Amino acid sequence: MSLVLDLSGRVVLVTGGTKGIGLGITRSFLAAGATVVTCARSASPTAEGAEHRVCDIRDPDAVVALVSGVVETHGRLDVLVNNAGGAPASDAATASPRFHDKIVGLNLLSPLAVSQAANAVMQEQESGGSIVNISSISAHRAAPTVAAYGAAKAGLDSLTRSLAMEWAPRVRVNAVDVGLCRTENTDDHYGGDHRVAAIERTIPLGRMARPDEVGHVAVFLASDLASYVSGACVGCDGGGEPPVFLHI
C-alpha cells in the first residue's frame, strides 16, 4: 500500500462543511482528491470544487433525502464527516429544557441520524465506508457554560465506540476530539487578539489549531492508512490543557 493520502474516486459528505472547522475539513478532503458534498441549513458559499446542499440535519426525513440525493448523483457514499454542531454559552441552572433539548439534538442525535442513513448505503457497498465524528475535548473534561454540549459530545464519543462495534467490519467509525481552533469567530468569542494570545500560551504546542489541521486528521481516519483504526477517539488538541498551577 502506498503511503499517500489519495482519496481520488471517494465521495465524502461533510455536514456543516462551509465555514470554520468544517470548511477546513472540506478543503482537506478536496486536496486529497475526493469528491466532496457539504450541507448546511441554508444555501451557503462552500469551498471551490465542492458541491453544496441545503439540509437541516435535525430533520430525519431531510437527512434521508440528503443521503439519497448524494448517492443518486454520485453513485456512492464512501465517507461521512459529522461536523455540524456547537452551542452558545449558557448557565446550566437557568437554561430552558427546550434549549438543552436542541443542543443535545444537534450534537448527538443528529449525527446518529446522518450516520444511520450513511451506514445503510455503506453496508451495501463492497468497499464499505468510513464515518468520522467531529467531537470535542469537552467530552472528557468539565464544560462550564456549555454543559449540555459537553454531555452531548461525551455521548458522541460513546456512540462512536458503539457504532464501530455494531457496524463492523463493513463500516469504520472514529471520532476527532478537537481542542481550541482558530476560526473566523475566534477573536470575537474570546475577546480579541490579546486574550487569544494569552490562551495560546497555555497550550503545549503554543497555539490553537488551524481548521485544516483538524481536516488532516479526518482525512487520515477516512483513508486506507487507517484501515485497522475503528472505535478510536483521536485527540487533536495541541497537547491538552495543562493544570492551572503551571500558569500561576
Side-chain angles (χ1 to χ4, degrees):
M1 181 187 299
S2 175
L3 294 179
V4 176
L5 290 174
D6 183 2
L7 299 185
S8 299
R10 311 280 179 94
V11 177
V12 181
L13 173 61
V14 183
T15 67
T18 63
K19 59 184 179 180
I21 291 173
L23 181 57
I25 293 169
T26 295
R27 287 172 171 163
S28 294
F29 275 98
L30 288 170
T35 297
V36 182
V37 180
T38 62
C39 76
R41 282 180 290 175
S42 60
S44 306
T46 190
E48 183 177 355
E51 172 189 329
H52 182 69
R53 303 195 176 201
V54 175
C55 178
D56 185 344
I57 62 168
R58 298 170 299 181
D59 179 345
D61 292 334
V63 164
V64 171
L66 168 69
V67 172
S68 296
V70 171
V71 175
E72 182 178 345
T73 299
H74 299 286
R76 59 189 304 107
L77 176 60
D78 300 286
V79 180
L80 165 65
V81 182
N82 281 311
N83 167 75
S90 178
D91 181 0
T94 57
S96 70
R98 185 170 180 269
F99 175 86
H100 286 149
D101 182 68
K102 284 183 173 294
I103 297 304
V104 174
L106 176 62
N107 291 281
L108 176 59
L109 300 181
S110 293
L112 173 57
V114 186
S115 295
Q116 286 178 306
N119 175 67
V121 173
M122 294 173 178
Q123 291 290 345
E124 299 301 317
Q125 296 177 161
E126 183 177 352
S127 58
S130 173
I131 297 173
V132 180
N133 295 319
I134 303 303
S135 188
S136 168
I137 58 173
S138 295
H140 48 81
R141 56 105 160 117
T145 75
V146 286
Y149 170 82
K153 290 300 189 181
L156 185 60
D157 280 4
S158 176
L159 183 69
T160 296
R161 292 185 286 268
S162 296
L163 297 185
M165 284 194 176
E166 285 197 30
W167 295 350
R170 189 73 75 180
V171 176
R172 294 186 300 107
V173 187
N174 293 289
V176 184
D177 287 344
V178 181
L180 298 178
C181 185
R182 269 194 176 272
T183 69
E184 59 270 23
N185 298 319
T186 297
D187 286 349
D188 288 341
H189 181 75
Y190 291 107
D193 288 343
H194 178 72
R195 286 181 56 84
V196 170
I199 292 169
E200 288 189 315
R201 286 194 294 270
T202 71
I203 299 172
L205 289 188
R207 61 177 177 81
M208 296 183 184
R210 302 187 309 269
D212 66 291
E213 291 177 308
V214 179
H216 296 164
V217 179
V219 168
F220 164 71
L221 290 172
S223 76
D224 292 340
L225 293 183
S227 58
Y228 202 65
V229 180
S230 194
C233 298
V234 179
C236 184
D237 56 16
E241 298 180 337
V244 174
F245 73 81
L246 292 178
H247 299 285
I248 294 177

